[in-house]
Amino acid sequence: MSRAELSVFIRSLGVHAPDRKLTNTELSAMVETSDEWIKSRSGISERRIAGAGENPSDMGAQAAAKALARAGLTPADIDLLIVATMTPDVPFPSTACLLQAKLGLRRDIPCFDISAACSGFVYALQVGTDMLRSGNYRRALVIGAEKLSSVVDWQDRATCVLFGDGAGAAILETTATPDVGVLGNLLGADGVNAELLHCVAGGSAQPASEQTLRDRQHFLRMNGKEVFKLAVRVMADSCERVLKGCGKHSDDVAWFIPHQANIRIVEAVADQLQVGLDRFPINLDRYGNTSAASIPLALEEAWTAGRIKHGDLVLLVAFGAGLTWGATLLRWHEPSP
Ligand code: UT7
């Protein structure tokens, strides 16, 4: 079958969220904030916090195991693994290689990480789709897994209230059925705005030193106001461009699955697209911003709740550090048993 004839769809999903819940009230005892401020400015009520030994590769492996079990597949059925993360277990090797070993995937398949922050899952989905369309692989595991609690400055109230930990996994599969699965996509980046959301130290430019530790440079820093404005503009624009490229309109879309950063960002995007908020499944109130894990966590929740049905058009849209952004239009496909 030629590349043009292969469709790639999401066959199954699985998620893992740490048990430990950190509420806004608990946070108010850690920094000068309040449940009222956090809820009204972001929509977040609580987030999950991973424990020691509960790393992105562990959470990703748990999520993937659930996705495999749901599809009646085993690790041996996977031909390719891509992990999107901005909080890898270690600088190297990749979290994907660690996850491959933990999950017991075949020892000869390609496994690699993608670094696109909160847009990571959408980036990984597109890279996985294109690799499957090459015809060289049948099934891919695409995972977003994050432990933001390890890079958040728990003394910085402007950021520590926003983020959480978790993982979501999707199994991508090829099919000869035309016009299902990934219909179109758009990825973009603007490195000129890198400093709006970044971590200064811990890489090769500024390795860990007593000075970087003293200056708290191993933590995430964000210009929230600027990120907010760009997020709304770029997410709405990405949706419009993908829809136009596929000859569709926002009215055709059953579900928009946005990156879950802030309810006010989602509201503004829905407003710009002139789409009711009821078509945007939300779970950021319970998970906070989980970066690359956020879209699969929301997608899985909407799917397992029976909201997403066979044939529905689903539009995933993300925005994050880099700056990066991306959108993917899917026609949801449930293959007959
Ligand atoms: O995945 C993409 C990554 N990031 C995002 O999507 C985040 C995008 N940005 C945002 O979500 C919002 O900008 C925030 C939620 C981060 C902040 O909301 P805001 O309405 O832009 O608030 P602000 O930064 O303008 O702060 C307003 C006030 C300030 O006080 P003053 O200067 O007005 O006296 C802050 O110091 O709120 C203060 N503030 C807080 N107060 C209580 C900031 N953080 C807190 C806090 N609790 N946690």
Side-chain angles (χ1 to χ4, degrees):
M1 173 146 306
S2 81
R3 173 190 161 92
E5 290 166 319
L6 276 179
S7 296
V8 176
F9 71 105
I10 295 180
R11 168 152 170 200
S12 181
L13 292 158
V15 297
H16 174 80
D19 288 338
R20 164 85 172 103
K21 289 179 187 167
L22 180 66
T23 64
N24 291 349
T25 308
E26 285 174 275
L27 267 170
S28 325
M30 295 161 62
V31 287
E32 198 179 330
T33 190
S34 65
D35 179 46
E36 197 280 325
W37 191 95
I38 303 170
K39 263 196 209 141
S40 63
R41 299 292 178 121
S42 72
I44 299 165
S45 294
E46 60 186 35
R47 67 289 294 143
R48 302 297 181 93
I49 303 295
E54 197 174 15
N55 296 315
S57 66
D58 305 297
M59 294 188 280
Q62 298 245 26
K66 287 178 200 160
L68 285 168
R70 273 194 182 125
L73 295 170
T74 71
D77 297 316
I78 298 300
D79 307 316
L80 164 70
L81 168 65
I82 309 177
V83 175
T85 186
M86 63 181 272
T87 50
D89 288 27
V90 290
F92 63 88
S94 69
T95 299
C97 287
L98 303 178
L99 201 157
Q100 173 194 26
K102 285 178 184 173
L103 194 57
L105 298 177
R106 292 202 321 267
R107 292 174 68 180
D108 58 350
I109 65 168
C111 298
F112 59 94
D113 287 2
I114 281 188
S115 172
C118 304
S119 312
F121 184 79
V122 174
Y123 265 65
L125 187 61
Q126 193 53 42
V127 172
T129 298
D130 286 345
M131 288 181 74
L132 292 193
R133 281 203 183 122
S134 72
N136 293 329
Y137 312 94
R138 172 87 207 282
R139 259 181 227 108
L141 252 177
V142 171
I143 296 174
E146 300 281 15
K147 192 171 175 180
L148 275 308
S149 60
S150 67
V151 295
V152 153
D153 184 346
W154 292 101
Q155 295 179 14
D156 177 16
R157 68 175 184 173
T159 53
C160 75
V161 302
L162 301 173
F163 296 95
D165 302 333
I171 297 174
L172 303 189
E173 193 171 288
T174 54
T175 172
T177 310
D179 299 322
V180 298
V182 177
L183 301 184
N185 84 297
L186 173 150
L187 300 176
D190 172 18
V192 169
N193 277 318
E195 288 181 9
L196 291 182
L197 178 46
H198 67 153
C199 176
V200 171
S204 55
Q206 287 219 54
S209 67
E210 285 182 21
Q211 187 66 42
T212 62
L213 285 176
R214 244 194 321 272
D215 294 344
R216 307 185 73 74
Q217 289 182 318
H218 296 270
F219 297 122
L220 171 163
R221 297 286 170 225
M222 177 169 70
N223 178 335
K225 262 201 184 327
E226 283 308 308
V227 172
F228 189 110
K229 281 189 267 179
L230 288 167
V232 174
R233 187 163 56 74
V234 174
M235 284 170 80
D237 182 62
S238 301
C239 288
E240 277 163 0
R241 286 170 59 195
V242 167
L243 287 169
K244 192 167 175 210
C246 295
K248 306 284 183 204
H249 187 266
S250 52
D251 290 345
D252 302 323
V253 177
W255 301 106
F256 293 80
I257 311 287
H259 169 47
Q260 311 275 316
N262 184 321
I263 190 64
R264 292 189 296 130
I265 293 178
V266 181
E267 284 166 356
V269 170
D271 197 49
Q272 284 210 12
L273 295 173
Q274 296 183 305
V275 170
L277 200 59
D278 54 339
R279 278 153 68 200
F280 285 72
I282 299 296
N283 64 8
L284 63 87
D285 51 324
R286 285 162 286 128
Y287 294 107
N289 179 347
T290 56
S291 185
S294 110
I295 285 186
L297 276 168
L299 183 64
E300 192 265 2
E301 192 171 284
W303 179 57
T304 53
R307 298 175 85 182
I308 300 177
K309 303 225 162 43
H310 179 75
D312 279 354
L313 280 185
V314 179
L315 183 47
L316 317 180
V317 60
F319 177 87
L323 298 175
T324 55
W325 57 88
T328 304
L329 184 66
L330 300 158
R331 182 170 303 283
W332 201 258
H333 179 62
E334 302 275 356
S336 350

